[in-house]
Amino acid sequence: MSSENEKILAAKDEAERSLATLKSTKDIGNRLIEYGNDAEVLLVHQQVMESTKQLTAQKQSVKSTLHLGVDYESTVNIRLTKNQTMDSLMVMPEYLMSFDAKTKMDKNHCFFTGITCLPSGDMFIIDSSNFLHGNNNLKMFDSKGVLKWNLPMGDQVPYNVAVTADNNLMVTKGDSSKVDIIDFRGKKVKSIASCVSRCESPSLAMKGDTVILTGSNKACVYICNKNLQARKIICSQQFKSPHYAALNHNYIIVSDYAHCVFIYSRSGDLLATYGTPGTPGDGPGKLNRPYGVCIDKYDKILIADHQNKKVHLISPRGEFVKFVLTKDELENCPLALAITPEGHLVVTMTNSLVKMFKYMAIF
């Protein structure tokens, strides 16, 4: 056999092995998405990408010797999630900045229980009050942490804030049957009667015309319309002290101060829980006084694990993915969470600081 024929056969064998490897990798990737959890996807992702790069390099030398008519590029397009690739989820957040949100008007240490962000990057932060901390005001900061205005709320105790569909702010107040509507200049527009009366630590979340209301002294979660009329009430014996809420087009998330987070469908059906109601703990799957929750663009859920000084990332199935932040990055107890349109994770702290991390790539 001539040396030329030997080269052709060797190239053919190499090409067939590469193709078989790629097909196998594609099958593994699809099965991993179908049956695996998010942590397994993240673990395998890097190995898959490195192997694909190596095979792509081999392809160039093979094609120069023998053309097999294989659409190689379509074969290596492995779907790592149902909608996006896991490239978009960063391995570790990058610290961007922090700022002290205590102003000259504040007489006490701050107690930042609520935060929401605008597309411009501006942030609205609730400085509530408890027995030791807080100043009962609503503050607006720009994307660099520069104060724009500070709205005192007197003897009222604000607790959480959200942006309404008509571009105003909705602010809940403790022990009140009403919420305030405030414009972006800090001027009160009106008050709306709530279907929930005399709540302690009343929290809310909004998406479109749907509002979620909770209260730590209520064993129920209220799914309301934009006028705060209840469409559905979720009550559970597992609720001890419903605390914070988040929602998107697919899920409703409720953190319970008694060490658990509940994941519901938009229709109010319980899908999963994370943590053990009534039992504090530290580690994957365990919480100690969870505060703020939010949902990223891939339906992953972030939880401020207050006492453990961590932020958990979990799947909508209630599966632990990783610790996004720990006490090494946070240094103090986290309170409220928000994700900016740029993909930055904003965390309010018990020491009056607000910290920002580059959490995900936006494209």
Side-chain angles (χ1 to χ4, degrees):
M1 182 180 296
S2 67
S3 59
E4 185 65 26
N5 287 338
E6 289 178 351
K7 290 180 180 179
I8 293 175
L9 289 176
K12 181 178 179 180
D13 289 342
E14 182 64 29
E16 289 176 346
R17 284 195 297 269
S18 297
L19 181 59
T21 300
L22 286 169
K23 288 181 177 179
S24 175
T25 303
K26 180 181 180 181
D27 291 340
I28 291 172
N30 288 334
R31 287 198 299 271
L32 186 64
I33 287 301
E34 188 69 25
Y35 303 107
N37 59 41
D38 298 276
E40 292 169 335
V41 172
L42 287 168
L43 183 64
V44 172
H45 173 54
Q46 186 61 39
Q47 297 174 345
V48 171
M49 292 299 100
E50 289 179 359
S51 297
T52 302
K53 288 178 181 179
Q54 293 176 3
L55 290 172
T56 301
Q58 293 175 5
K59 167 204 168 185
Q60 301 301 327
S61 61
V62 170
K63 285 187 69 174
S64 64
T65 305
L66 182 67
H67 177 67
L68 298 179
V70 176
D71 186 0
Y72 199 100
E73 280 74 12
S74 65
T75 305
V76 302
N77 184 21
I78 301 167
R79 182 167 52 89
L80 288 176
T81 68
K82 288 182 172 58
N83 298 308
Q84 298 90 5
T85 66
M86 293 305 292
D87 276 330
S88 57
L89 190 61
M90 300 183 65
V91 176
M92 286 298 294
E94 175 188 349
Y95 171 79
L96 294 177
M97 71 168 193
S98 62
F99 62 94
D100 190 340
K102 184 177 181 180
T103 70
K104 295 179 180 179
M105 295 176 59
D106 298 329
K107 297 179 180 180
N108 304 313
H109 290 292
C110 298
F111 185 47
F112 297 134
T113 55
I115 182 171
T116 191
C117 302
L118 296 180
S120 62
D122 291 338
M123 296 169 274
F124 299 96
I125 300 177
I126 292 288
D127 185 0
S128 187
S129 64
N130 59 14
F131 297 110
L132 299 174
H133 306 293
N135 299 282
N136 289 347
N137 55 41
L138 170 63
K139 305 175 183 182
M140 182 181 184
F141 296 88
D142 68 14
S143 60
K144 303 299 182 182
V146 177
L147 180 70
K148 287 192 169 183
W149 49 256
N150 187 347
L151 176 65
M153 302 195 71
D155 294 333
Q156 298 176 337
V157 182
Y159 200 81
N160 212 330
V161 59
V163 177
T164 65
D166 57 354
N167 290 322
N168 283 306
L169 301 173
M170 183 176 286
V171 178
T172 58
K173 301 175 293 183
D175 293 329
S176 175
S177 59
K178 295 182 178 181
V179 301
D180 286 344
I181 304 299
I182 298 170
D183 67 22
F184 291 167
R185 296 169 296 176
K187 180 181 178 180
K188 182 177 176 179
V189 177
K190 60 182 178 179
S191 294
I192 300 178
S194 170
C195 61
V196 189
S197 62
R198 302 195 65 81
C199 275
E200 295 177 7
S201 304
S203 191
L204 83 161
M206 296 191 69
K207 188 71 175 180
D209 290 336
T210 301
V211 183
I212 306 299
L213 293 174
T214 68
S216 61
N217 61 330
K218 306 288 184 180
C220 298
V221 173
Y222 301 80
I223 305 176
C224 309
N225 61 20
K226 63 180 181 180
N227 297 317
L228 304 185
Q229 299 170 332
R231 293 173 176 169
K232 184 171 184 176
I233 302 175
I234 305 172
C235 297
S236 172
Q237 293 182 348
Q238 290 184 300
F239 285 156
K240 306 297 181 183
S241 181
H243 204 196
Y244 279 81
L247 81 159
N248 64 3
H249 294 296
N250 299 315
Y251 303 103
I252 297 172
I253 314 300
V254 178
S255 71
D256 193 296
Y257 198 58
H259 323 301
C260 190
V261 167
F262 298 87
I263 303 168
Y264 292 91
S265 68
R266 282 293 295 260
S267 60
D269 298 318
L270 181 63
L271 302 176
T273 60
Y274 183 79
T276 304
T279 303
D282 187 8
K286 299 178 182 179
L287 298 167
N288 193 343
R289 305 297 188 195
Y291 268 68
V293 288
C294 63
I295 310 172
D296 71 20
K297 64 181 290 185
Y298 302 107
D299 285 345
K300 300 297 186 299
I301 300 156
L302 294 110
I303 307 166
D305 188 357
H306 183 72
Q307 292 290 75
N308 292 324
K309 300 180 182 179
K310 295 176 181 177
V311 174
H312 298 233
L313 181 70
I314 68 173
S315 76
R317 298 185 294 273
E319 299 166 330
F320 174 81
V321 177
K322 64 179 178 180
F323 293 120
V324 174
L325 299 170
T326 67
K327 60 183 179 181
D328 291 336
E329 296 85 24
L330 294 174
E331 299 177 349
N332 281 274
C333 299
L335 292 167
L337 302 177
I339 295 179
T340 71
E342 293 82 10
H344 303 332
L345 175 62
V346 186
V347 187
T348 67
M349 315 294 299
T350 51
N351 62 346
S352 300
L353 288 182
V354 177
K355 291 192 173 185
M356 185 178 293
F357 300 85
K358 187 175 182 181
Y359 166 67
M360 61 172 60
I362 301 298
F363 53 88

